[in-house]
Each structure stands twice: as C-alpha cells, then as structure tokens.
Amino acid sequence: MSALLEAKELRKSFGGVKAVQGISLSIPEHSIYAVIGPNGAGKSTMMNLLSGTYQPDAGELLFAGRQLAGLPAHQRVRLGLARTFQKIRLFKQLSLLDNVLAGFHIHHKVPAWQYLIPGAAFWRDWTHCREQGMALLEFVGLADLAMQRAGSLAYGQQRMLEIARAMATGPRLFMLDEPAAGLNSVEVGFLLQRLKDMRERGITVVVVEHNMDLVMKVADHVFVMDRGEYLFEGAPREVQNNPKVIEAYLGGEFTGGLDS
Amino acid sequence: MSRRVADALSRPVRWPAFLGALVVIALLPMVLGTPYWRGILVVCAMNVLLAMSLNLVIGYTGQLSLGQSGFFAIGAYVTTVLLKSYGWNFWLAGVAAVLAAGLVGLLLAAFAARLRGHYLGIASLGFAVIVYQILINWESVTKGVRGIYGIMPPPPIRLPGLPEISFGNQATLFYLVAGIALCVYVILDNLVRSPIGETLRAIREDEISAASLGVNGARWKAFSFGVSAAIAGLAGCFYPGFVGTLVPDAFGIVESFTMLAMVIVGGMGTMIGPVIGAVVLTFLPEVLRGFGDFRLIVYGLALTLVVLFMPGGILQAWQILTARLRGTEASESTGGGR
C-alpha cells in the first residue's frame, strides 16, 4: 500500500514548549492508523498540524504527493482531509441535520443566481444533500433525532454527530481526535464498527486515542509518541509488547488494554 | 423513502405569507390615511430594510456590527450628490449608491477577518464615526452641517399604456419602498435557507469548526458584510427624497444602535423577527406621544423590559407563548404531558 499522507521532520513549538520535535510518519492508504501516547505527548498538536489548524515551524507534509505546508485548514478539506475535535465543536443551536448539511459546503454545484431564486439545479442539490445527510445520520445511528437541536444530545451522540458532519465533506483521509473519550462501552463498540466500515468504504482513518482497548482492536498500524518525540511504531501486538511503550505508560492505562 | 427522510425533504409553504404581506402593504396607507401617518409608514419601510440588512451580519453570520448607519449614510449621500451635483438619473444614482455601500462593506469585512466579538463591534463603530466625520468635514461635496436642501422624491415612472406613477405623495412612495423591502425579504429568505445560509450559520456557531468543513470564514464574512451594506445603502437611496433635506446628524451612531435594537427586540437570526422589531420601534415612539416629555423614558424602559424578559426577542416570546397554549391543549387531549 502506498502512503496517502507523509510527514517529514515536523516541528512545532509554543513559546518554550516543544510540542512536536521532528516527527516523521507515513500513513498508508485504506488503513486505520492510530497515534497514541501519554498525556502531553503532542498527539493533538500533531493532529492540528496535519489538519492545518496549526502551521509547522519546520518540516514537510505531503498528501497524495501534494505539499500541504502553508495551506490553511479550509483548503485542505477540498483535497480530502477531514477531522473531528478532541473537545467537541458542534453547531449547538442548529439541528442535527443542519449540522451535517453544513458539511456539504464544498460539494454544492448550483449556479450562483439560484441561491437567490431557486431553480431546478438548486432543488436537485437540496434534495440530494438532505438524502445524503439523512444517510450519514443513519450511519452514526442518529437519524431518528435529525430535527432536534445538536446541543440537546447526550455526550456520546454528540461525538457521533461530529463524525457524521465531517464525513459529509467526503474525505479521503479522516482524522478523529480521541473519538472514544467519554463514551460508554456500548458506544465504543459501535464506534469501533463504524471505523471499520469507513475503512471498507475506502477512507483512510487516523485515530488519536487514549482508549487502548479500541486501538488494539481496530488499528492496522500504531504510532507511539512521548513528550513530542517518536517512541515506537508497528502493529498493535508489537506495540503492546514493547518495553519502552509500557514504561512510557507506567503500566497504568496500558495494562488495561493488555488484559482485554 | 422512509418517513424520516420525507420529513427532511418537506418544504415550507411560503406563498400564503407572501400574499398576506402584499395585502397588508396595499391596505396600510388606506388604514393610516393622514399624511403624517403615511410618512411614518415610509420611515417604517426603510427601517425594515435596515433591520433586515443588519440581521444578516449579526443574526445569521454572528458578527457584531455597529457601523450600519455608515452604510445608510453612503446610500443617501451618494444618491443625492450624483443627483444634485452631477445631474444623474435617480435610478442610476441609486444603483451606484447601492454598489458603493456594498464595496465599502467589503472593506469593513477586511477588519472582520481579523477581529471578533466586541473588538469587531468597536472597529465597526469607529467606521460609523469616520463616515459621520467625513460628512461633516468634506464640505465641498456634502455641504457639511449646513446640509443639502430641496431634494425631490424619486421621479415618476412612465410605462407605455399605463397611467404615470408619481412618488410625490407618500402613499406611492410607501408602496415603492415597501415593495422593494418585500422583494429583499423574499430574496434574503431564499438565501438564508440555501447552502449559503447554512455556511453563514456555521460561521456564527463556530468558525474553527466551519473551517474544518472547508469554509473560508474571511470570504463568507466579506460576502455577508457586502450584501448587508448594499441593502442598507438601498434604504439610504430613498431617505433624502422622502425628507427633502440631507444633514449628517441623521446618520449618527445612535442610528446604528437603533437598528441593533430593532434586530434584538424583534428576534435576531430569524427573517421575520427584525421586521417585527422595526415596526414596533418605529411606531412605539409615536404611540407614546401621549406621555409628552416622558416619552423617551418610557421608550427606553420598554426596550429594557423586552430584552430582560424576552431574551430571544418578541418573535421567540410569541412562539413560546403559542407553544405553551398548544402544549396545554395537546396534553388535555392526549391525557398526559411529556
């Protein structure tokens, strides 16, 4: 499998804090790629560098052979990168369906004047987006609540809605920042299945995650960071048995993953 | 197709409301028959345009703008100066004024790209102050505080085979401005229901999130400011011909705050809310004339009470009230609450 996203020697500092110090990684297409590491490892900074929320101080970033450095977040979406946020950022005042509809922003093909006086092309697009939006809500198990306000959802449902909204952009590479945080075990099981479904649909999935159980069950490849630096990478089983990784996690959270 | 998808695809029926609005507009000058009240009606139609324009920026895009009086002024002065000093046709001058206001709106949007919330509010307020100062000091063009006098209403429209439509009386001027306001309402209503509206609301709710969906925040904020400014400029075209004179004091920052009050009192982020707000705040001072010198105190008190007890504006208060009435009826008929 060829690499869809490649990072070379990425660096990012915030004042004196070196959040990411020369990270290189290569994410193969059609895989589930997990980035793990203890708190403060620089995982979220890494995610923000890949998505364009931050620009790197140094290093190269290639997506399908194209240079990403300098491209703002909204332009990367057009190339096929989508993401969710560690701290959920929904449009809380809007309905679930409207949240997902906003995700189709880059896909509307309507002559400009039809936004003022709707014509046939407008209504075709309108219908198509709503059908697709409902299908995405179905995918994350929220179709019954389509017309409710997003802010009224339970925490786990909000996470799933954010996933549906990002999927509306039609990503080739989908990055999820701690998607299992705050989910109960049933919800984690559902999420796990959905991640596998995304891979089936040909989406390359990147998961930044604390939940080792999920990572070990679903990831094809695991990349371990610690204090902004590369620690180890490999298949889940290799990572599980690596002494450096176990030490970084001080046995705490990680043995939980080993037991199950 | 499942029922859920069918729900998602149901379109609102709007033509009865449109017909209703047409009838109301047609009847108003007959109900309020004196020249005085008809004058208030014209002011009301302009205020509706102004409130709708500001609502696009504040209510739908979530950008605090206190500079709307500046765009209103640009519309009024550009029309009048082109008309009086350069002998342009009124309608052509009006188009130029709308474009000028829209372009300046795009300029202000350059600030909006960098500033948020209160900071943008102050910057836009500064813009209104600058426009006001230019009107006062650029005497060779604006005649400064002395003002421009003897401005005629829009010229009559002569269509072949039809009687001439003259705007010398306030009933026809009202029909003209209210008709334009209704057209602007319909077009804006289409716009905010379209994917563009979805994009603007996404920016209002969370700009970083919107960027993660491919939304170029700076570009769409500029769009919103530009359209909003152009509509305020459109309202400005009709003001000088209605009043007959043009002085800078008509475009002080107080006007910006009055427009803001219309949007908030009516219910921002909805189409009909600011229309209600504009109507209420235009007629309230007139209705309160019985209070004599206390009029403005009562006006201020009424504003404060509305904001205090109806945080979502008159429209939301009305919706809550009707929902409650309907809710009690429903629970009686079904024999249970939620």
Side-chain angles (χ1 to χ4, degrees), chain B residues 47-298:
Chain B
N47 282 339
V48 166
L49 270 172
L50 291 169
M52 286 194 298
S53 76
L54 184 59
N55 182 44
L56 183 67
V57 167
I58 293 187
Y60 283 100
T61 323
Q63 309 297 310
L64 179 57
S65 171
L66 298 171
Q68 211 68 3
S69 63
F71 302 120
F72 185 39
I74 290 170
Y77 269 89
V78 170
T79 310
T80 306
V81 169
L82 288 177
L83 193 71
K84 299 272 285 187
S85 304
Y86 296 91
W88 283 38
N89 168 291
F90 170 82
W91 306 105
L92 209 58
V95 172
V98 169
L99 290 177
L103 280 176
V104 178
L106 289 179
L107 281 183
L108 187 65
F111 288 101
R114 299 195 164 271
L115 298 173
R116 282 182 220 298
H118 306 96
Y119 298 95
L120 176 60
I122 297 299
S124 58
L125 190 60
F127 163 76
V129 172
I130 290 169
V131 171
Y132 178 72
Q133 290 300 326
I134 290 175
L135 297 183
I136 287 181
N137 291 305
W138 197 10
E139 290 198 11
S140 59
V141 173
T142 66
K143 305 279 191 294
V145 288
R146 284 176 294 133
I148 303 172
Y149 290 87
I151 304 164
M152 302 302 288
I157 297 178
R158 294 186 188 87
L159 293 172
L162 290 173
E164 176 183 288
I165 308 167
S166 143
F167 298 106
N169 81 72
Q170 284 164 336
T172 46
L173 188 58
F174 168 74
Y175 285 138
L176 176 66
V177 183
I180 287 173
L182 184 61
C183 292
V184 169
Y185 183 100
V186 171
I187 286 176
L188 277 181
D189 193 40
N190 287 339
L191 187 77
V192 300
R193 288 165 192 270
S194 80
I196 291 179
E198 286 158 12
T199 300
L200 297 183
R201 280 189 291 270
I203 291 171
R204 175 188 77 195
E205 295 286 311
D206 186 338
E207 210 180 324
I208 291 178
S209 226
S212 83
L213 304 174
V215 174
N216 183 346
R219 184 180 147 191
W220 286 103
K221 281 193 276 186
F223 169 84
S224 175
F225 267 93
V227 172
S228 166
I231 297 170
L234 179 63
C237 296
F238 299 103
Y239 178 83
F242 165 67
V243 183
T245 61
L246 199 50
V247 288
D249 269 350
F251 308 99
I253 56 173
V254 175
E255 300 309 314
S256 278
F257 285 101
T258 307
M259 294 174 210
L260 181 63
M262 289 170 187
V263 172
I264 291 176
V265 164
M268 62 177 169
T270 63
M271 276 306 297
I272 195 71
V275 176
I276 297 171
V279 171
V280 168
L281 291 200
T282 308
F283 282 91
L284 193 58
E286 304 305 324
V287 176
L288 293 177
R289 282 200 185 276
F291 289 94
D293 292 343
F294 295 104
R295 180 168 71 102
L296 289 178
I297 296 178
V298 177

Side-chain angles (χ1 to χ4, degrees), chain A residues 192-250:
Chain A
L192 193 137
Q193 194 50 51
R194 295 295 91 148
L195 293 178
K196 287 179 178 167
D197 292 340
M198 288 177 207
R199 182 177 53 191
E200 287 291 301
R201 293 181 181 196
I203 300 173
T204 306
V205 180
V206 177
V207 191
V208 169
E209 193 44 75
H210 260 309
N211 186 319
M212 285 309 136
D213 192 27
L214 177 95
V215 168
M216 293 306 147
K217 278 184 184 154
V218 79
D220 300 309
H221 190 90
V222 182
F223 186 94
V224 191
M225 290 176 72
D226 189 24
R227 297 193 190 108
E229 291 179 343
Y230 165 84
L231 192 68
F232 185 77
E233 66 177 306
R237 189 135 299 275
E238 294 165 8
V239 171
Q240 263 178 328
N241 298 325
N242 185 282
K244 277 198 290 184
V245 177
I246 294 170
E247 194 198 321
Y249 271 91
L250 290 171

Side-chain angles (χ1 to χ4, degrees), chain A residues 52-95:
Chain A
T53 308
Y54 300 151
Q55 296 292 340
D57 298 334
E60 246 187 275
L61 204 51
L62 290 166
F63 179 72
R66 223 192 119 148
Q67 226 3 299
L68 285 187
L71 275 190
H74 67 85
Q75 285 182 15
R76 294 187 190 190
V77 179
R78 288 178 192 272
L79 298 179
L81 276 92
R83 69 165 298 179
T84 64
F85 295 89
Q86 184 183 349
K87 186 173 172 290
I88 302 174
R89 307 188 76 120
L90 288 172
F91 307 132
K92 291 198 170 139
Q93 301 296 323
L94 307 184
S95 73

Side-chain angles (χ1 to χ4, degrees), chain A residues 31-173:
Chain A
S31 66
I32 298 181
Y33 191 98
V35 178
I36 67 167
N39 281 324
K43 305 186 296 289
S44 283
T45 305
M46 195 64 204
M47 168 78 85
N48 285 329
L49 288 175
L50 298 184
S51 68
T53 308
Y54 300 151
Q55 296 292 340
D57 298 334
E60 246 187 275
L61 204 51
L62 290 166
F63 179 72
R66 223 192 119 148
Q67 226 3 299
L68 285 187
L71 275 190
H74 67 85
Q75 285 182 15
R76 294 187 190 190
V77 179
R78 288 178 192 272
L79 298 179
L81 276 92
R83 69 165 298 179
T84 64
F85 295 89
Q86 184 183 349
K87 186 173 172 290
I88 302 174
R89 307 188 76 120
L90 288 172
F91 307 132
K92 291 198 170 139
Q93 301 296 323
L94 307 184
S95 73
L96 274 66
L97 181 60
D98 282 338
N99 267 270
V100 177
L101 289 175
F104 292 115
H105 176 74
I106 59 170
H107 294 298
H108 298 293
K109 288 186 193 74
V110 178
W113 63 270
Q114 293 205 3
Y115 291 117
L116 304 181
I117 300 151
F122 177 93
W123 289 116
R124 261 199 312 278
D125 173 76
W126 192 90
T127 307
H128 177 74
C129 287
R130 272 156 187 77
E131 282 169 358
Q132 294 297 307
M134 288 306 290
L136 282 169
L137 285 174
E138 191 84 52
F139 179 71
V140 296
L142 294 173
D144 280 332
L145 307 173
M147 298 305 165
Q148 294 203 18
R149 224 163 43 82
S152 70
L153 290 180
Y155 190 81
Q157 295 174 321
Q158 295 198 11
R159 284 235 173 260
M160 297 314 290
L161 176 58
E162 211 189 13
I163 289 173
R165 187 182 67 180
M167 284 187 71
T169 65
R172 281 179 77 188
L173 183 83

